[in-house]
Amino acid sequence: DENYSGDGINEVFEKNFDIGGPILKDKLWYWGGYTQNDIDFDKAGSSDKTKLQNLGLKVHGQANGGRTNYKVFYSMGDKVKAGRGASTTRPPATTWDQSGPSPIYSASVSQFIGSDRELSLVYGKIEGGFQLIPKGGLDTQIHLDNTGSWQNTFFQYIIDRPTEHLTARANWFKDLGGWSHEMKFGFRSKETLRETSSTYAGGVVSWGPWGSVSLYRDGLLKDETQHMNAWAGDTMIKGP
Protein backbone atom coordinates (compact mmCIF):
# COMPACT_ATOMS: atom_id res chain seq x y z
CA ASP A 1 0.00 0.00 0.00
CA GLU A 2 1.64 3.22 -1.16
CA ASN A 3 -0.29 5.16 1.51
CA TYR A 4 1.04 2.98 4.34
CA SER A 5 3.22 4.76 6.88
CA GLY A 6 5.40 2.61 9.14
CA ASP A 7 6.45 3.21 12.71
CA GLY A 8 9.01 5.93 13.20
CA ILE A 9 10.52 8.52 15.53
CA ASN A 10 9.30 12.06 14.98
CA GLU A 11 11.54 13.86 17.45
CA VAL A 12 14.11 13.32 20.20
CA PHE A 13 14.92 16.25 22.46
CA GLU A 14 17.42 16.21 25.32
CA LYS A 15 18.19 18.79 27.96
CA ASN A 16 20.44 18.61 31.00
CA PHE A 17 22.37 20.72 33.45
CA ASP A 18 24.43 20.25 36.61
CA ILE A 19 25.96 22.56 39.18
CA GLY A 20 28.22 22.05 42.17
CA GLY A 21 30.81 23.61 44.39
CA PRO A 22 31.85 24.34 47.97
CA ILE A 23 29.46 25.49 50.69
CA LEU A 24 32.18 25.73 53.34
CA LYS A 25 35.76 25.75 52.11
CA ASP A 26 37.45 22.36 52.57
CA LYS A 27 34.53 21.14 54.68
CA LEU A 28 31.22 20.98 52.84
CA TRP A 29 30.29 20.61 49.14
CA TYR A 30 27.14 20.28 47.08
CA TRP A 31 26.12 18.99 43.65
CA GLY A 32 22.88 18.93 41.70
CA GLY A 33 21.95 17.73 38.23
CA TYR A 34 18.90 17.24 36.01
CA THR A 35 18.39 15.50 32.66
CA GLN A 36 15.31 15.03 30.51
CA ASN A 37 14.79 13.17 27.26
CA ASP A 38 11.61 13.73 25.23
CA ILE A 39 10.86 11.09 22.59
CA ASP A 40 7.95 11.38 20.15
CA PHE A 41 7.21 8.13 18.32
CA ASP A 42 4.54 7.10 15.82
CA LYS A 43 3.33 3.52 16.31
CA ALA A 44 0.48 1.89 14.42
CA GLY A 45 -0.93 5.32 13.59
CA SER A 46 -0.99 6.40 17.24
CA SER A 47 1.23 8.84 19.08
CA ASP A 48 3.62 7.32 21.61
CA LYS A 49 5.31 10.04 23.67
CA THR A 50 7.94 9.26 26.30
CA LYS A 51 9.61 11.58 28.78
CA LEU A 52 12.59 10.35 30.81
CA GLN A 53 13.43 12.55 33.80
CA ASN A 54 16.29 12.24 36.29
CA LEU A 55 17.11 14.56 39.18
CA GLY A 56 20.11 14.15 41.49
CA LEU A 57 21.19 16.10 44.59
CA LYS A 58 24.18 15.45 46.84
CA VAL A 59 25.79 17.11 49.86
CA HIS A 60 28.99 15.73 51.32
CA GLY A 61 31.50 16.99 53.81
CA GLN A 62 34.14 16.26 56.40
CA ALA A 63 34.97 17.32 59.95
CA ASN A 64 37.59 16.70 62.63
CA GLY A 65 40.44 17.17 60.20
CA GLY A 66 39.00 14.65 57.74
CA ARG A 67 38.44 11.94 60.33
CA THR A 68 34.66 12.25 60.02
CA ASN A 69 33.05 12.03 56.56
CA TYR A 70 29.38 12.20 55.70
CA LYS A 71 27.17 12.25 52.61
CA VAL A 72 23.48 12.77 51.86
CA PHE A 73 22.13 11.85 48.43
CA TYR A 74 18.73 12.13 46.74
CA SER A 75 17.67 11.19 43.24
CA MET A 76 14.35 10.94 41.45
CA GLY A 77 13.87 9.13 38.17
CA ASP A 78 10.64 8.99 36.24
CA LYS A 79 9.43 7.54 32.95
CA VAL A 80 6.34 9.39 31.77
CA LYS A 81 4.82 7.76 28.71
CA ALA A 82 1.61 8.65 26.89
CA GLY A 83 0.24 5.97 24.60
CA ARG A 84 2.04 2.87 25.82
CA GLY A 85 0.86 -0.34 24.18
CA ALA A 86 -0.36 1.26 20.95
CA SER A 87 -0.84 -1.23 18.11
CA THR A 88 -3.25 -2.13 15.33
CA THR A 89 -5.42 -3.86 17.97
CA ARG A 90 -4.96 -1.19 20.64
CA PRO A 91 -6.39 2.16 19.46
CA PRO A 92 -5.61 5.34 21.48
CA ALA A 93 -8.41 4.91 24.07
CA THR A 94 -7.04 1.48 25.05
CA THR A 95 -3.42 2.58 25.48
CA TRP A 96 -1.87 3.42 28.84
CA ASP A 97 -0.43 6.55 30.34
CA GLN A 98 2.62 5.41 32.32
CA SER A 99 4.35 7.17 35.18
CA GLY A 100 6.56 5.89 37.94
CA PRO A 101 8.64 8.30 39.95
CA SER A 102 11.26 6.34 41.88
CA PRO A 103 12.90 8.53 44.53
CA ILE A 104 16.07 7.24 46.16
CA TYR A 105 17.34 8.47 49.54
CA SER A 106 20.75 7.70 50.99
CA ALA A 107 22.77 8.93 53.95
CA SER A 108 26.14 7.74 55.21
CA VAL A 109 28.72 8.65 57.84
CA SER A 110 32.17 7.23 58.59
CA GLN A 111 34.46 7.87 61.52
CA PHE A 112 38.14 7.07 62.03
CA ILE A 113 39.09 6.18 65.61
CA GLY A 114 42.77 6.52 66.18
CA SER A 115 44.92 5.41 63.26
CA ASP A 116 43.70 1.84 62.97
CA ARG A 117 39.90 1.73 63.28
CA GLU A 118 37.06 2.92 61.08
CA LEU A 119 33.32 2.79 61.69
CA SER A 120 30.66 3.50 59.06
CA LEU A 121 26.87 3.56 58.86
CA VAL A 122 24.80 3.66 55.66
CA TYR A 123 21.03 4.06 55.31
CA GLY A 124 19.09 3.92 52.05
CA LYS A 125 15.53 3.83 50.79
CA ILE A 126 14.12 3.32 47.30
CA GLU A 127 10.48 4.16 46.58
CA GLY A 128 10.20 1.97 43.48
CA GLY A 129 7.04 1.45 41.47
CA PHE A 130 5.01 2.56 38.47
CA GLN A 131 1.45 2.75 37.19
CA LEU A 132 -0.33 2.09 33.89
CA ILE A 133 -3.55 4.11 33.59
CA PRO A 134 -5.87 3.47 30.60
CA LYS A 135 -6.61 6.56 28.52
CA GLY A 136 -10.27 5.55 28.25
CA GLY A 137 -10.68 5.71 32.03
CA LEU A 138 -12.41 3.30 34.39
CA ASP A 139 -16.02 4.39 33.87
CA THR A 140 -16.66 2.32 30.75
CA GLN A 141 -16.34 -1.34 29.77
CA ILE A 142 -13.51 -3.10 27.98
CA HIS A 143 -14.68 -4.56 24.69
CA LEU A 144 -13.04 -6.89 22.19
CA ASP A 145 -14.70 -6.39 18.82
CA ASN A 146 -15.24 -8.91 16.03
CA THR A 147 -11.99 -7.90 14.31
CA GLY A 148 -9.91 -8.77 17.38
CA SER A 149 -9.30 -5.15 18.39
CA TRP A 150 -9.81 -3.77 21.87
CA GLN A 151 -12.19 -0.84 22.25
CA ASN A 152 -13.29 1.81 24.77
CA THR A 153 -10.57 1.36 27.42
CA PHE A 154 -8.29 -1.23 29.05
CA PHE A 155 -7.28 -2.50 32.48
CA GLN A 156 -5.33 -0.51 35.07
CA TYR A 157 -2.13 -1.78 36.70
CA ILE A 158 -0.32 -0.21 39.68
CA ILE A 159 2.76 -1.60 41.43
CA ASP A 160 4.54 -0.26 44.52
CA ARG A 161 7.84 -1.81 45.70
CA PRO A 162 9.73 0.23 48.31
CA THR A 163 13.04 -1.09 49.65
CA GLU A 164 14.81 0.03 52.81
CA HIS A 165 18.24 -1.01 54.09
CA LEU A 166 20.71 -0.25 56.88
CA THR A 167 24.37 -1.30 56.88
CA ALA A 168 26.95 -0.95 59.68
CA ARG A 169 30.64 -1.75 59.12
CA ALA A 170 33.85 -1.70 61.13
CA ASN A 171 37.45 -2.07 59.95
CA TRP A 172 40.42 -2.64 62.25
CA PHE A 173 44.01 -2.62 61.04
CA LYS A 174 46.48 -4.19 63.46
CA ASP A 175 49.98 -5.67 63.48
CA LEU A 176 50.20 -8.73 65.73
CA GLY A 177 52.93 -11.35 66.03
CA GLY A 178 54.65 -10.39 62.79
CA TRP A 179 51.37 -10.37 60.84
CA SER A 180 49.43 -7.43 59.45
CA HIS A 181 45.71 -7.90 60.04
CA GLU A 182 42.82 -6.22 58.25
CA MET A 183 39.75 -7.25 60.21
CA LYS A 184 36.27 -6.49 58.92
CA PHE A 185 32.94 -6.71 60.72
CA GLY A 186 29.47 -5.81 59.56
CA PHE A 187 25.72 -6.12 59.78
CA ARG A 188 23.06 -5.47 57.15
CA SER A 189 19.27 -5.37 57.28
CA LYS A 190 17.05 -5.08 54.19
CA GLU A 191 13.27 -4.96 53.89
CA THR A 192 11.28 -5.02 50.64
CA LEU A 193 7.55 -4.59 50.20
CA ARG A 194 5.74 -5.38 46.94
CA GLU A 195 2.13 -4.43 46.36
CA THR A 196 0.42 -4.93 43.00
CA SER A 197 -3.14 -3.96 42.13
CA SER A 198 -5.10 -4.49 38.93
CA THR A 199 -8.47 -3.05 37.97
CA TYR A 200 -10.63 -3.96 34.96
CA ALA A 201 -12.51 -0.86 33.84
CA GLY A 202 -16.18 -1.28 34.72
CA GLY A 203 -15.40 -4.72 36.14
CA VAL A 204 -16.60 -6.21 32.87
CA VAL A 205 -14.99 -7.41 29.63
CA SER A 206 -17.31 -8.05 26.68
CA TRP A 207 -16.12 -10.51 24.06
CA GLY A 208 -17.62 -9.58 20.67
CA PRO A 209 -16.50 -12.67 18.74
CA TRP A 210 -18.27 -14.96 21.21
CA GLY A 211 -21.15 -12.72 22.29
CA SER A 212 -20.27 -13.15 25.97
CA VAL A 213 -19.06 -11.11 28.94
CA SER A 214 -16.72 -11.79 31.85
CA LEU A 215 -16.92 -10.21 35.28
CA TYR A 216 -13.74 -9.27 37.14
CA ARG A 217 -12.99 -8.13 40.65
CA ASP A 218 -10.09 -5.86 41.53
CA GLY A 219 -6.89 -7.79 42.19
CA LEU A 220 -4.43 -7.11 44.99
CA LEU A 221 -1.19 -8.98 45.66
CA LYS A 222 1.08 -8.05 48.54
CA ASP A 223 4.23 -9.64 49.94
CA GLU A 224 7.08 -8.58 52.18
CA THR A 225 10.62 -9.91 52.50
CA GLN A 226 13.21 -9.24 55.17
CA HIS A 227 16.90 -10.10 55.04
CA MET A 228 19.52 -9.78 57.78
CA ASN A 229 23.12 -10.87 57.64
CA ALA A 230 26.32 -10.33 59.60
CA TRP A 231 29.93 -11.02 58.74
CA ALA A 232 33.43 -11.03 60.18
CA GLY A 233 36.71 -11.62 58.42
CA ASP A 234 40.43 -11.13 58.64
CA THR A 235 43.02 -10.66 55.89
CA MET A 236 46.51 -11.50 57.15
CA ILE A 237 49.82 -10.61 55.52
CA LYS A 238 53.09 -11.94 56.87
CA GLY A 239 55.56 -9.20 57.66
CA PRO A 240 59.24 -9.21 56.63
Side-chain angles (χ1 to χ4, degrees):
D1 187 346
E2 62 181 11
N3 295 319
Y4 174 77
S5 179
D7 299 345
I9 296 176
N10 293 326
E11 182 182 37
V12 177
F13 182 71
E14 179 178 344
K15 52 189 173 184
N16 63 78
F17 77 90
D18 64 271
I19 186 172
I23 300 175
L24 296 175
K25 184 178 180 181
D26 298 329
K27 291 184 178 180
L28 187 63
W29 299 264
Y30 76 96
W31 172 85
Y34 178 81
T35 63
Q36 179 174 310
N37 294 311
D38 297 327
I39 305 170
D40 186 3
F41 187 76
D42 274 341
K43 186 174 183 181
S46 298
S47 176
D48 186 325
K49 298 181 184 292
T50 302
K51 182 178 293 185
L52 304 176
Q53 301 171 316
N54 288 281
L55 170 68
L57 301 171
K58 181 174 70 173
V59 175
H60 62 104
Q62 61 181 15
N64 301 322
R67 302 182 66 80
T68 304
N69 295 274
Y70 52 89
K71 179 174 69 175
V72 177
F73 176 76
Y74 168 81
S75 74
M76 193 281 289
D78 197 2
K79 180 179 182 179
V80 180
K81 191 177 185 70
R84 177 173 176 175
S87 70
T88 55
T89 59
R90 294 276 302 279
T94 66
T95 61
W96 288 302
D97 286 340
Q98 176 182 343
S99 63
S102 298
I104 299 175
Y105 312 88
S106 177
S108 63
V109 61
S110 64
Q111 175 69 51
F112 282 94
I113 302 174
S115 60
D116 57 2
R117 283 161 291 174
E118 180 188 14
L119 303 176
S120 65
L121 187 66
V122 179
Y123 169 79
K125 186 175 184 180
I126 303 174
E127 295 283 0
F130 65 93
Q131 58 183 10
L132 301 174
I133 309 299
K135 281 185 174 292
L138 298 178
D139 297 327
T140 185
Q141 294 181 3
I142 304 172
H143 175 66
L144 182 68
D145 67 20
N146 291 328
T147 67
S149 296
W150 296 99
Q151 302 294 337
N152 302 332
T153 188
F154 214 55
F155 69 88
Q156 176 178 278
Y157 184 75
I158 299 175
I159 184 169
D160 187 29
R161 47 190 179 197
T163 300
E164 194 170 12
H165 67 86
L166 179 68
T167 304
R169 294 187 179 92
N171 296 324
W172 186 16
F173 309 93
K174 191 69 174 178
D175 291 333
L176 293 170
W179 292 82
S180 295
H181 296 261
E182 181 182 345
M183 290 170 276
K184 298 182 178 182
F185 311 90
F187 172 82
R188 189 170 191 255
S189 173
K190 180 180 179 181
E191 181 176 320
T192 301
L193 174 67
R194 292 185 297 178
E195 182 173 314
T196 303
S197 65
S198 58
T199 302
Y200 284 80
V204 176
V205 176
S206 60
W207 308 94
W210 303 280
S212 61
V213 298
S214 298
L215 304 180
Y216 292 90
R217 293 187 297 178
D218 292 351
L220 179 62
L221 177 65
K222 181 185 291 187
D223 66 85
E224 182 177 351
T225 58
Q226 294 180 323
H227 300 273
M228 289 187 291
N229 62 291
W231 64 90
D234 186 9
T235 300
M236 299 181 292
I237 301 176
K238 180 64 174 178

